[in-house]
Amino acid sequence: MSLTNASPLEVARAASVSGLALARLDTSARNAALTTVHAALAGAKGVILEANKKDLAAANTAAENGQLSHSLVKRLDLGKPGKFDDMLQGILDVRDLPDPIGRVTLRTELDDGLILERVSCPIGVLLIIFEARPEVIANIASLAIKSGNAAILKGGKESTESFKAISTVISEALKSTKVPNDAVQLVTTRDAIDPLLEQDRYINLVIPRGSNSLVRYIKDKTRIPVMGHADGLCLTYLCSDADASSAAKVIVDAKTTYPAACNSVETLLVDQDALSTILPTVASALQKSGVSLRCDPESKAALAGALEKHHAALLQDASDEDFDTEFLDLILAIKTIPKGAGPEDALEQAVSHINTHGSHHTDAIITSSAARAEKFMDAVDSAGVFWNTSTRLADGMRYGFGTEVGVSTNKIHARGPVGLEGLTVYKYKARGSMQATADYGSAGKAWKHKRLALD
Amino acid sequence: MSLTNASPLEVARAASVSGLALARLDTSARNAALTTVHAALAGAKGVILEANKKDLAAANTAAENGQLSHSLVKRLDLGKPGKFDDMLQGILDVRDLPDPIGRVTLRTELDDGLILERVSCPIGVLLIIFEARPEVIANIASLAIKSGNAAILKGGKESTESFKAISTVISEALKSTKVPNDAVQLVTTRDAIDPLLEQDRYINLVIPRGSNSLVRYIKDKTRIPVMGHADGLCLTYLCSDADASSAAKVIVDAKTTYPAACNSVETLLVDQDALSTILPTVASALQKSGVSLRCDPESKAALAGALEKHHAALLQDASDEDFDTEFLDLILAIKTIPKGAGPEDALEQAVSHINTHGSHHTDAIITSSAARAEKFMDAVDSAGVFWNTSTRLADGMRYGFGTEVGVSTNKIHARGPVGLEGLTVYKYKARGSMQATADYGSAGKAWKHKRLALD
């Protein structure tokens, strides 16, 4: 890794060259580099925490002046118990994942002595733009090395000193490995972003980890494909055949375990028939966790009598806008799904609301009917469609991907939590014995197109 | 299919709604629609050829005035023997391909009673911008219906009458099927492109089938992901251990069978030691097929004495620019790869030239050494890397994909010839039994992450 002051063109070109070399390293060489990086960071903990303290001091001053939120300052702190060790463990976790490169995913005998294979390979050069949390740099550098991709990293300015310290340590460590130093480069100036976004000849994918406005800004500025999540407006549809207490458990989990996460539930759709039977149990559990309920008139009327008096302030009227809002807070919008012509009709209304107002991230149905759940999962156009579990399940670690680069709400390439596999593409290898295409078709020879077994 | 005069916003929104309905149709309903479309087009051959004659007449006038090339006029003609029948057969071929939708590609037991599946699904709405050949509209409509995607089609203006006739027939036919009419819409005005490119809320992928400048124009104008091929500057590396006559056969095939195709070879790299042993046989075969050879000084010197006198005009000096040119014609640039420190070193030089000057489309090596070929295929960063066969093999039909939407030189999503699979993405389905995420990790429960068998 190098901390670079080179021009954006030079940075991108160096990444491209180093990426090609990195892509040719075998599994053991890439894994060995991660072992080395892990040891180096472990040995440099003191130096890195010193640098982190400078960032923290500057951030605290900014927070006192109201220029920075206190929650952001908290996220900067690498000295919090367990945080540094988690960062170190993350490097080993990535190292120990199966190699995503070199997997054969298709093998076809085109003709005698002519075999086509589709083989996974790195994408090339990634430009990753991310926010404050300083430990992310070690995480992303590990993912890049493991997946054979060169990476250009641009972190939030609040963590500059921490980033510089970590990057210097990684850079020194890589010198004793086979990974080219320029395969991971850190860019520290904000001005570098726009010119980097113009390097579509050398950079193959931009991954913004940040706000919607950052993602949108980047898409406006570049021809390079962008893999970013837009909003996380997740919904849960509570059906009248659900069990009240377990529904309450799942919905409280989806709303309260990390309200600022993109996979938290923001709107609850409720079957009309569930308003007086199941919703009060759910609402009561939510209110005990301090959740404000923004209700449409029907659900509010149903809850008005059913809830304990001292929670009255948490029962509010929903505006139309609330059903298009990602609160990222202890607030939940509640909307009634009218019975209509029956359960089928109600399901269609819920699906239609979700496909129109949701962000296609993750949506869940709580029902005891498997048929209803399957219909819901087929019809909802989201990266995650869940039956009887919490939307908070949508996460790379929980899915078993080891770690995630981010959550994609794109409709191509990778969707949902993106692990190492999302950092790969493939090439077609054909091994022939001097076949000419002109001999096939009307010239007489026929293609065999026989599927062969994979490994 | 509808021929639309609606506003671009209305077109995109209607496509989005219809796409969701189309995505829910089962295999048999989508296949039945293709059977119906096929029959309707077969019955309307006379009407369609009448319309095509109007396009041809206008094109011929334009060609006489020098506003249109004669080769383009040729491509417009649907009345050429076999062409209409090929178009019809293509619809049945697509119908009979395996369903790309609903395939489970990952199944993991996250915990008891909590199963995660990754299931292939349509992308959503495709905007396909293509050039003159009128039969492409039937091909693309079939691919869209088969893959469950809504499509907005914008064809070249030279085929407008043919497109309108075909689109009217398809539209009428679809009325008796379950495919919503707005799932395939034809847009005929050039002005519609820019406003359509702004509909990133409803359109999920743009597929331009046309010139590099069209692809670049589109990438500059939109936030929607673009899947287009850039140049097709393919190379072949001829090693000194190759058999001369079979090398000649493969290279003549790669250059002459369709010089205007993106998978034709444009530059031949030749080992220094092959200049006097193998190259003369190859060059002589190329010249007999009328190929002009643009040679670097060493290869020209080697060929000057070896070739027949009457072909002398086809032996030319290469400029630097020739090695960055997609000729799309019977012209081949020839470059010598110096021996350097030995075969390893020569291979690295060839790879470096290809990765720098090629377009990452398809590149081949001709050698009798398997080890050399494997190294080449690992190191060359192209969608297709071939050993001992013609670059012209890079084609969806030849790969066994049935038909292709295009050839992608993107580094994400789909790379190389793109068939139905490239028109799909996936969603994650989780079927649970009221698990809450808060119960896992430090709270005590552990994820099982057990891979389950696929079907």
Side-chain angles (χ1 to χ4, degrees), chain B residues 415-432:
Chain B
R415 199 178 183 203
V418 180
L420 282 171
E421 204 174 323
L423 299 183
T424 70
V425 65
Y426 51 76
K427 56 166 72 169
Y428 287 98
K429 293 183 177 178
R431 299 179 179 92

Side-chain angles (χ1 to χ4, degrees), chain B residues 107 126 170 179 192 195 201 213 222 245 256 266 270 273 285 303 321 342-343 358 366 372 376 389 393 409 438 440:
Chain B
R107 184 176 282 132
L126 316 175
I170 297 180
V179 172
R201 184 165 168 199
S213 61
T222 192
S245 74
T256 67
E266 305 290 6
V270 186
D273 281 348
L303 292 176
E321 207 189 326
I366 312 291
R372 197 168 167 78
F376 176 90
T389 191
L393 183 71
T409 50
Y440 295 81

Side-chain angles (χ1 to χ4, degrees), chain B residues 371-385:
Chain B
R372 197 168 167 78
E374 294 300 326
K375 193 161 277 186
F376 176 90
M377 291 191 286
D378 283 339
V380 168
D381 177 31
S382 296
V385 283

